[in-house]
Amino acid sequence: MKTDKELKKKVLSDPVTFAKVFLDWGAHPAQAQILRDRHQFITVVAGRRFGKTECMAVSAIYYALTNPGSIQFVIAPSYDQSNIMFGQIVQFLSKSILGCMIRRIYKTPFHHIIFKNDSVIHARSASKPEFLRGHKAHRIILDEAAFIPDDVISNIIEPMLADYNGSWIKIGTPFGKNHFYDTYLKGQSPDFPDYSSYRFPSTVNPHISHEFIEKKKREYGENSIIFRTEYLAEFVEDQNAVFRWADIQKNVDNSIELIDSAENVSKQYVIGCDLAKYQDYTVIVVLDVTEKPYKLVHFERFNRRPYAEVIMRLKELYRRFNYAKVLIDSTGVGDPVLEDLQDVGAEGYVFTPKSKVQLIQRLQAALENGEIRYPYIEELVKELQFFEYQLTRTGIKMEARQGFHDDYVIALALAVWAAEQHSGTGYISLGVARI
Ligand SMILES: Nc1ncnc2c1ncn2[C@@H]1O[C@H](COP(=O)(O)OP(=O)(O)OP(=O)(O)O)[C@@H](O)[C@H]1O
Ligand SMILES: [Mg+2]
């Protein structure tokens, strides 16, 4: 017979037992392996619905309660995603006897929980990394880590651990070959004893529908990039990508302040707008083109709005941004819209297979040459990455991969195109672009 003390020691010394006893949550075998890993730097590459968020919520609670006075940060690429993790932590605690260990839960200005043992868990988004500066931590959990830009990791997140020689755990589904891929490789190499890493397909989670995943496999194809990335969690080298991952990353600049109107009268701006057709979105992008590199300083994305409203919005932005040059996709529905924008001197770009390739190639060159800077906007980065070449019977087409949008890409490409005309270094005039 074990004494109470021995039992308590056993429960507290093993996160898997702890979760079972206190949270009524049974880790599946892959989650158990992660929870028991004691390396300083852990990278978990896992398919969608593997159980990443739940596993990390449990891990954060276990660490907080077994390390009194500890400071943890749970960081996700967006505010919404960090909210999901925070909500999961609160939900686990509220249903458990451990709820009595909470001293206080704060929702503003930033989510955090303070425990009675003085531990704290903060939930933050990486989209405003400046708010992370100045903080220190014993441990950082990065959910959907592949979507957190490399420079945010190295310049902001890693230094937070310097005070305490802290640890991090990155978890996520692969997305390009960035820091997440690098540390995954380190974890596999005997040269980095502080690192460990894992890769698990979605199907190791017994609590999700395997029938659904089989369906997706048939739908996309076993060798499709989507299936291999999202469900098998493979780092796939994307041969069809129009924009190289390194180029997309190179132009990210999180120090850019998004603004709603011109910074001052001497600044010059251009506006690119991709109008919604059918199911997709209208995206408006404003670039500050006063000097190179151009800076994306404002963007809007919406759908299901009447064109009259879009027109009014464009006119408003035209005025707010020092009478910016406006270039819209004037194919089809865009033509009447363009007519209504004559008074602000807006120009149209008509898409033909050939003119689209020209437009995109200009954006491709701009990214390659580091001519643009944009803050980390998840949809933009994702769209750029999943914009690809497709071989058709009649030649090459460039478009978003099935299941993805390309409105940001087109709006940005239009803005860059307009910028070239604006600076007088363009290849052809906007008028000629209306072929
Ligand atoms: N150990 C577990 N016991 C019971 N259910 C689990 C367990 N782990 C995960 N689940 C369930 O599996 C589903 C996916 O979990 P979770 O949201 O944590 O996955 P995820 O990997 O973060 O997904 P996404 O890729 O969408 O972010 C949820 O319904 C969750 O309740
Ligand atoms: Mg998740």
Side-chain angles (χ1 to χ4, degrees):
M1 269 291 273
K2 284 192 170 157
T3 63
D4 273 4
K5 209 169 158 197
E6 279 170 336
L7 265 178
K8 192 174 163 207
K9 198 168 159 207
K10 181 174 178 335
V11 172
L12 291 182
S13 66
D14 177 37
V16 176
T17 316
F18 172 93
K20 190 77 213 144
V21 172
F22 287 120
L23 305 173
D24 191 25
W25 185 84
H28 62 62
Q31 288 170 327
Q33 221 179 330
I34 297 165
L35 288 170
R36 288 182 172 137
D37 188 316
R38 296 287 168 114
H39 284 83
Q40 188 173 12
F41 305 118
I42 304 169
T43 305
V44 182
V45 182
R48 295 295 317 278
R49 311 308 288 154
F50 161 87
K52 303 181 288 294
T53 302
E54 282 201 8
C55 182
M56 287 303 105
V58 167
S59 177
I61 294 171
Y62 174 72
Y63 188 91
L65 292 175
T66 53
N67 294 276
S70 59
I71 307 168
Q72 285 185 91
F73 277 78
V74 173
I75 302 175
S78 70
Y79 182 69
D80 278 355
Q81 284 159 323
S82 74
N83 257 351
I84 293 176
M85 173 79 86
F86 190 78
Q88 188 68 64
I89 293 172
V90 171
Q91 195 189 339
F92 271 133
L93 288 170
S94 64
K95 288 197 293 195
S96 157
I97 184 177
L98 297 177
C100 71
M101 286 299 293
I102 298 174
R103 181 177 298 150
R104 196 156 165 199
I105 298 177
Y106 294 83
K107 293 262 160 102
T108 54
F110 297 108
H111 286 35
H112 60 291
I113 304 176
I114 300 182
F115 293 90
K116 288 186 181 155
N117 68 355
D118 292 328
S119 285
V120 54
I121 302 175
H122 298 269
R124 291 290 181 91
S125 126
S127 61
K128 290 244 182 278
E130 62 276 18
F131 292 130
L132 291 167
R133 280 185 191 272
H135 287 280
K136 55 186 178 180
H138 293 94
R139 185 172 189 246
I140 299 178
I141 295 175
L142 300 154
D143 195 19
E144 292 304 345
F147 291 89
I148 300 177
D150 286 26
D151 63 332
V152 175
I153 299 280
S154 53
N155 301 350
I156 316 263
I157 292 175
E158 278 179 346
M160 290 167 66
L161 296 168
D163 297 56
Y164 304 121
N165 188 23
S167 59
W168 54 243
I169 172 158
K170 294 180 190 173
I171 194 160
T173 302
F175 185 69
K177 292 197 167 174
N178 52 5
H179 66 89
F180 192 50
Y181 179 64
D182 294 343
T183 57
Y184 168 74
L185 291 183
K186 281 185 181 160
Q188 298 291 306
S189 154
D191 299 339
F192 297 93
D194 295 335
Y195 287 73
S196 71
S197 63
Y198 304 89
R199 202 166 63 77
F200 298 111
S202 306
T203 45
V204 300
N205 182 355
H207 307 286
I208 56 169
S209 162
H210 289 201
E211 192 190 331
F212 178 85
I213 295 179
E214 275 305 310
K215 241 185 257 168
K216 290 290 147 193
K217 182 154 102 183
R218 281 197 299 276
E219 191 178 319
Y220 293 118
E222 196 169 354
N223 292 317
S224 64
I225 294 168
I226 288 206
F227 188 74
R228 288 169 60 200
T229 309
E230 304 291 321
Y231 297 100
L232 300 180
E234 286 181 26
F235 288 100
V236 182
E237 187 67 79
D238 194 346
Q239 304 296 344
N240 292 337
V242 171
F243 306 106
R244 287 192 329 186
W245 177 245
D247 293 336
I248 298 172
Q249 288 264 319
K250 185 162 77 188
N251 293 279
V252 171
D253 178 354
N254 278 311
S255 68
I256 292 178
E257 293 260 337
L258 291 170
I259 49 178
D260 287 326
S261 54
E263 208 179 311
N264 59 52
V265 285
S266 66
K267 293 277 184 183
Q268 294 174 352
Y269 300 92
V270 296
I271 298 174
C273 171
D274 183 38
L275 290 166
K277 290 172 206 81
Y278 318 110
Q279 293 300 324
D280 54 3
Y281 288 81
T282 290
V283 171
I284 303 174
V285 159
V286 183
L287 288 186
D288 175 343
V289 296
T290 317
E291 56 182 15
K292 273 195 178 164
Y294 305 141
K295 288 182 203 63
L296 191 161
V297 291
H298 182 92
F299 70 93
E300 297 182 12
R301 181 177 194 252
F302 45 83
N303 68 355
R304 294 174 213 280
R305 301 241 185 109
Y307 284 124
E309 212 176 293
V310 179
I311 291 164
M312 264 169 47
R313 191 67 199 141
L314 279 168
K315 288 185 179 177
E316 173 75 23
L317 289 170
Y318 159 80
R319 273 190 296 274
R320 284 187 184 203
F321 285 95
N322 295 345
Y323 308 105
K325 173 116 242 140
V326 179
L327 182 61
I328 68 166
D329 160 13
S330 60
T331 326
V333 289
D335 216 21
V337 173
L338 185 62
E339 274 194 37
D340 279 336
L341 287 167
Q342 283 310 314
D343 52 331
V344 300
E347 305 259 4
Y349 193 97
V350 175
F351 280 78
T352 64
K354 201 170 150 213
S355 74
K356 184 170 180 186
V357 169
Q358 261 183 334
L359 183 82
I360 296 299
Q361 279 176 341
R362 177 64 202 107
L363 177 61
Q364 198 181 28
L367 291 181
E368 221 173 282
N369 302 333
E371 293 171 43
I372 316 174
R373 293 289 179 272
Y374 37 79
Y376 184 79
I377 303 164
E378 196 181 328
E379 285 95 347
L380 167 67
V381 170
K382 204 162 178 168
E383 281 191 13
L384 285 168
Q385 191 183 21
F386 290 124
F387 196 81
E388 55 185 31
Y389 295 106
Q390 310 253 350
L391 279 176
T392 66
R393 265 176 291 154
T394 49
I396 284 186
K397 249 170 68 179
M398 287 172 162
E399 60 188 17
R401 180 181 305 167
Q402 194 195 355
F404 288 87
H405 293 278
D406 63 2
D407 327 276
Y408 271 108
V409 175
I410 302 296
L412 183 62
L414 286 167
V416 169
W417 189 272
E420 293 302 311
Q421 322 307 318
H422 187 92
S423 63
T425 55
Y427 313 127
I428 55 174
S429 82
L430 290 177
V432 182
R434 296 197 66 195
I435 30 179

